[in-house]
Amino acid sequence: MSNLLSTEQQARAAKAYVLQELRKTDVGSSILAEEAFYGRLDMNFVTVFAIFAELYGYRHDCLDQLVDLMLMCGKSWMERDPELQKLDKARELDPEWYLSNQMLGGVCYVDRYAKNLDGIRAKIPYFQELGLTYLHLMPLFESPRPLNDGGYAVSSYRDVEPALGDIHQLKALATELRKAGISLVLDLVFNHTSNEHRWARKAAEGDQEHSAMYWIFPDRNVPSAFERSTREIFPDDHPGSFIQLPDGRYVWSTFYHFQWDLNYSNPTVFRAMAEEMLYLANIGVDFFRMDAVAFMWKQMNTDCENLPEVHKLLRAFNALCRIAAPSVLFKSEAIVHPDFVVQYIDRYECQLSYNPLQMALTWEALATRDASMLTQAIERRHNIARGCAWVNYVRSHDDIGWTFSDSDALELGKEGGNHRKFLNAFFVNRHPGSFARGVPFQDNPRTGDCRISGTTASLAGLESGQDGALERILLAYSVAMSTGGIPLIYLGDEVGQLNDYSYLNDPAKMDDSRWVNRPWYPEQRYNERHDPDTTAGRLFSGMKHLIQLRKTTEEIAGGRAIGFYTGNPAVLGYQRPGPHSNVLCLCNFSDDPQWVGRHRFMGMPPTAYDLVGGHDIELRSSGIQLRAHQYVWLRY
Ligand code: GLC
């Protein structure tokens, strides 16, 4: 492609070529005759082209690869279920549907929560009882046994793990969920495959074409050079970023030794993964959880995380979905420094993103009884592009990492390293008076790095039997439910599920403490959920109340929270302006009653209605007193 042409001219020329080539095929000519498809291709072609040319333009076959990609989109669209095409249209007319305050997410492992896909299907009435509109099923595709990183080592993106069911059952489940008003969320694990994936097996046999799909080197020279600047992610498994193959070569594996990083500098990988993505989109996936996005591109002398090319890849994948499966959206899983997290959030990249900072700082505030860092994060780190949404959660299937910015912390007088040490000690009960019962994850004495595993209930004090555990859980979930975007419940949290230490008896799990927070379905707790005399019952009714509040409070739909300075470090404040009225949320993170002085409410009406308590509250006469762990949502 000549450098003398502008990108636009190049794109035009490329499009003419691609269209001409497409028209030579049966699929191409019939699909281009479809106005809606042609329109979407027309709109998104430049994005795909520009990125493809930038990443792979040096290759003589770049344009032909683009023709193949567009043909792939065409075929995929033709095979898309008419019901899904109908949904595509409906969502095109209501593009911000996922910002509604009706949205409520849940996440679970298929086997641990319900044995198999049929079991999940049988739980749909419960999901409806809870009010879920979004269900993330943890990885359920074929993966190595017994080690598979909880399914994040995928051996085939088209085959369900046989113990869970098959691809037809998955498709049927997606349909059932859709009918029940619940979107299906599945992981797109596209940074790596398992070492048992067909591509990896061929690579291991020495096949050159497949070896080129991974980062494989004949000796330690290049790997060692890369490792001078990369981080160790799972040091308990192996040091550095590479592992050695039986034939002496080295392969990049950021996570476990059986997860091999794909080489996206090879366009074959891009195409192959795009094909897997579109296949899954046609199963009826509504949101892809884009797993471990930070690591997808490697560049010598960098830390190989969050590189600009990662964003290009995500945008290109996103554009392919816009063409072939337009209602499908992306959620980024970037559990990294907040400066980098936001870079993934964009209408044209990932419309949703986990909010790891808010999650971690909610725990930080509970431990310190001081909400200053959380307040600062809401003021400074919460704002994201219009039409995008945070996924706010209290905990996930993973560990909790203290991903806050050191300079943010320093402004509040906290030295990052020491504060992380304190938090780690607090959450693994090595701090006097701690209510938490967490377990260290990837404790790396060499670097001082450590993260925390544990269920919400165990981290909040239910396991240690300390006062205020239920209140802490509800307080944490009240923040997730009201700060904007989609709240996500780790299913089992709503009935107070505790840590499960049985992983210590399983050799395939004992070295990965995250299994402590991936327990089996707590049958008894669920049976007790309507009994107010039980812990599960009290918590469940509190959670149901929060959910009902969320669903009837239009101010907290989508968007973002705006900081409100309470003047009391123990009390978090944020506002949610709505179309007709506003809601001010105040949350007391202390174990004691706290005041917010009346002067804080100057300029507000004299009284406001507390949606949580269901009564009016005087604001300006004497200020507000909050009980320990109390939260109020004040409409005015
Ligand atoms: C993501 C998953 C985590 C997994 C890792 C590697 O971070 O959440 O569970 O270990 O990716 O796939």
Side-chain angles (χ1 to χ4, degrees), residues 112-292:
R112 305 206 140 224
Y113 198 74
K115 290 199 179 75
N116 52 33
L117 291 175
D118 280 345
I120 293 286
R121 205 167 166 170
K123 294 252 183 306
I124 290 178
Y126 172 70
F127 299 149
Q128 289 179 305
E129 175 191 339
L130 195 58
L132 295 191
T133 61
Y134 161 122
L135 180 66
H136 174 198
L137 295 178
M138 295 296 292
L140 43 76
F141 293 103
E142 230 173 67
S143 56
R145 299 281 122 175
L147 292 175
N148 54 45
D149 188 19
Y152 281 100
V154 177
S155 301
S156 162
Y157 296 89
R158 298 186 182 221
D159 295 291
V160 171
E161 181 58 39
L164 305 179
D166 61 28
I167 203 79
H168 306 291
Q169 282 168 308
L170 180 60
K171 201 166 176 190
L173 175 64
T175 310
E176 290 270 316
L177 286 169
R178 197 161 50 248
K179 279 194 207 134
I182 301 172
S183 299
L184 176 63
V185 188
L186 289 187
D187 280 86
L188 189 60
V189 184
F190 65 164
N191 174 67
H192 44 264
T193 71
S194 88
N195 58 348
E196 292 186 7
H197 191 287
R198 185 172 52 83
W199 307 334
R201 284 182 198 267
K202 290 234 162 115
E205 285 163 15
D207 177 85
Q208 273 192 356
E209 214 177 289
H210 289 90
S211 294
M213 294 182 79
Y214 299 90
W215 291 90
I216 296 183
F217 298 97
D219 54 45
R220 256 235 153 252
N221 290 336
V222 179
S224 298
F226 269 117
E227 280 174 353
R228 276 200 284 274
S229 49
T230 56
R231 218 162 38 111
E232 286 180 357
I233 305 300
F234 283 179
D236 287 357
D237 185 67
H238 62 277
S241 305
F242 287 81
I243 56 118
Q244 193 168 24
L245 296 175
D247 65 8
R249 293 182 299 163
Y250 288 84
V251 62
W252 198 309
S253 63
T254 297
F255 296 94
Y256 280 110
H257 60 277
F258 47 83
Q259 288 161 304
W260 296 1
D261 289 41
L262 286 163
N263 179 357
Y264 280 92
S265 71
N266 176 356
T268 306
V269 170
F270 181 97
R271 272 186 40 200
M273 284 307 289
E275 204 166 345
E276 302 309 272
M277 173 182 74
L278 293 181
Y279 174 82
L280 292 175
N282 278 357
I283 294 288
V285 173
D286 294 277
F287 296 95
F288 280 120
R289 173 191 183 274
M290 310 302 266
D291 182 61

